[in-house]
Amino acid sequence: MSIELQILGAANEVTGSCHLLKVGEYRILLDCGLIQGSRQEEARNSAPFPFDPKTLDAVILSHAHIDHSGRLPLLVKQGFRGDIYTHKATADLCRIMLRDAAYLNEKDARLENRKRERKGLKRVEPLYTVQEAEAVFAHFQPLDYAERVEILPRVAVRLSDAGHILGSAIVELWLHSDKQDRKLVFSGDLGRSGMPVLEDPAMIKHADMVLMESTYGDRLHRRWEDTLAEMASLLQAVTAKQGNILIPAFSVGRTQEILYLFAKYYDEWGLSRWHIFLDSPMAIEATEVYARNCELFDDESSQLWREHRITPMLPNLRFTPTPEESMRINQIHSGAIIIAGSGMCNGGRIRHHLKHNAWRRDCHILISGFQARGTLGRALVDGAKHIRLWGETIRVAAQVHTIGGLSAHADQAGLSHWYAQFEHRPPVVLVHGEPTAKAALAAHLRHSLSAPVHLPTYGETLCL
């Protein structure tokens, strides 16, 4: 009886995480993420799965980000009837994120169908509906960190803190066949050591194969102290000139980190002079989930959150959940810090704020996270002079700042350090990275650690 791992997503890209593990007659899916990027890339989400969802026995979900969880509704819609094992905080966040993704699917379909009806074209269906997203929730089997559970007769799993977002997990899998026992470790998305709010990624010592992300495998992040200094300098410089600051931020993880930093450095960064808006219903809900799970924070952040919460420490922070409140923000031409989704500017309210602000010379756009190829955020980072929003061309006169040190992903040094803790240098399979990042990390691991590295292609099957 064989043990095999098939790479069915994020082979040479960052989004769409999906890997099929076969242990004899059992089938386990690691992640089931949405493909994000250009329209052409996102169209691949509608393609049939390269397996029959009815044949799956279980899913193990590393964390809630939509590029890891976003196709779960399609999986259930097409016949999956098993359990989804994940950390309890991830289950809570997925209830928010999958509903939001479904709502946007339905909204986009409605808008597209209005255009199609006027042209006499065939109507389109949303990728999945809110009702179909909610059908996923009954399948969740929440786990705690460090809890080893036998999920199938030949498969045991344990989750450890990946330090990426709340509830993010490194997945350890003990696999038993008639001839051999094997241990697979899936990194999920690894966070950075020493970052605020969350604990550092857990270190694992034993594995027969390591499936590891490589998002920032080709670069080193700025030192955390330099990032804080850069944030302080930027806010002081912009305060002198006024204007607005737009912060496209991932609703889960990045938003809460930014709020924490704003609270901690409120006086030092002169934030009392600003009106701060959290303009994302999903981010508002996610922040409440973070507050309910502050025992998962590092010691300093946990104490600060328990004693003060975020809102009292940021007296000028305003939540704007309704569309009407969001639209009123665009009447402010100066003195507003607007935190809004989506993090890659491919949807959400940040696009409306870009329409009203990107053409202003006194506007500043603060990019705080990874921007995938084909996204509007990537275009801004790459220096686009014009962007298209709802059929209108908008001149980009705003100053675009990339604060790379805020990344929630480990850089090359962090990834290398995490892998170096494994004894006997097990084979490492790199996924979840663009080709240049994967190649650079592979070369580094081979040179510095003599690691046996493999760069898989889509659909490739590896034998354990």
Side-chain angles (χ1 to χ4, degrees), residues 171-182:
V171 180
E172 295 176 84
L173 285 153
W174 288 266
L175 313 169
H176 307 283
S177 71
D178 295 335
K179 297 181 180 179
Q180 58 192 359
D181 295 339
R182 288 289 182 265

Side-chain angles (χ1 to χ4, degrees), residues 369-382:
F370 182 82
Q371 306 298 309
R373 291 174 299 183
T375 63
L376 177 56
R378 181 66 164 261
L380 290 168
V381 168
D382 290 342

Side-chain angles (χ1 to χ4, degrees), residues 66 69-78 84 91 93-106 126-140:
I66 213 72
S69 69
R71 280 190 290 173
L72 287 173
L74 292 175
L75 203 70
V76 173
K77 181 179 178 180
Q78 295 177 29
I84 301 171
L93 290 172
C94 276
R95 290 182 175 92
I96 299 168
M97 299 186 76
L98 293 179
R99 278 197 193 99
D100 182 77
Y103 167 77
L104 293 175
N105 288 337
E106 291 183 335
L127 187 64
Y128 50 81
T129 66
V130 171
Q131 184 177 2
E132 288 165 345
E134 291 175 342
V136 173
F137 306 158
H139 294 263
F140 283 131

Side-chain angles (χ1 to χ4, degrees), residues 145-172:
Y145 289 137
E147 177 185 7
R148 180 167 169 167
V149 178
E150 187 173 345
I151 63 172
L152 292 165
R154 298 181 181 273
V155 180
V157 64
R158 180 170 67 194
L159 306 181
S160 297
D161 197 339
H164 175 62
I165 64 169
L166 190 75
S168 60
I170 299 162
V171 180
E172 295 176 84

Side-chain angles (χ1 to χ4, degrees), residues 215-379:
T215 311
Y216 284 123
D218 59 345
R219 69 193 72 179
L220 299 176
H221 296 316
R222 300 191 68 184
R223 291 191 318 129
W224 182 236
E225 295 79 8
D226 294 338
T227 298
L228 293 177
E230 184 179 9
M231 288 281 288
S233 176
L234 171 62
L235 288 167
Q236 290 164 3
V238 176
T239 298
K241 299 178 182 178
Q242 284 303 304
N244 292 332
I245 300 176
L246 308 185
I247 307 180
F250 300 109
S251 297
V252 176
R254 186 52 37 78
T255 290
Q256 291 73 36
E257 186 176 79
I258 290 170
L259 291 178
Y260 173 83
L261 292 174
F262 280 4
K264 183 175 181 179
Y265 297 102
Y266 182 76
D267 294 325
E268 187 176 334
W269 291 356
L271 289 166
S272 62
R273 291 169 287 186
W274 293 88
H275 300 286
I276 304 172
F277 297 94
L278 180 54
D279 190 32
S280 165
M282 182 167 65
I284 293 168
E285 288 187 79
T287 302
E288 294 169 355
V289 174
Y290 266 67
R292 292 198 301 270
N293 288 275
C294 61
E295 74 279 0
L296 299 175
F297 298 175
D298 62 33
D299 292 341
E300 180 186 3
S301 304
S302 180
Q303 181 179 353
L304 189 66
W305 204 289
R306 288 178 192 275
E307 291 178 357
H308 302 288
R309 300 288 176 173
I310 283 293
T311 306
M313 295 178 66
L314 282 173
N316 52 348
L317 171 65
R318 181 177 174 187
F319 293 164
T320 52
T322 69
E324 293 75 19
E325 290 171 305
S326 177
M327 286 187 282
R328 282 197 289 271
I329 298 173
N330 287 318
Q331 298 172 12
I332 303 173
H333 293 169
S334 182
I337 296 176
I338 306 163
I339 306 168
S342 68
M344 297 185 192
C345 306
N346 257 23
R349 294 180 178 179
I350 192 63
R351 294 168 70 88
H352 293 276
H353 297 304
L354 288 168
K355 179 180 178 180
H356 286 269
N357 288 274
W359 52 272
R360 301 177 184 273
R361 294 188 181 278
D362 59 357
C363 172
H364 294 257
I365 303 169
L366 196 159
I367 301 293
S368 63
F370 182 82
Q371 306 298 309
R373 291 174 299 183
T375 63
L376 177 56
R378 181 66 164 261

Side-chain angles (χ1 to χ4, degrees), residues 50-72:
F51 53 82
D52 183 354
K54 298 186 185 71
T55 66
L56 293 177
D57 297 286
V59 173
I60 301 173
L61 177 62
S62 66
H63 65 287
H65 274 155
I66 213 72
D67 64 316
H68 292 256
S69 69
R71 280 190 290 173
L72 287 173

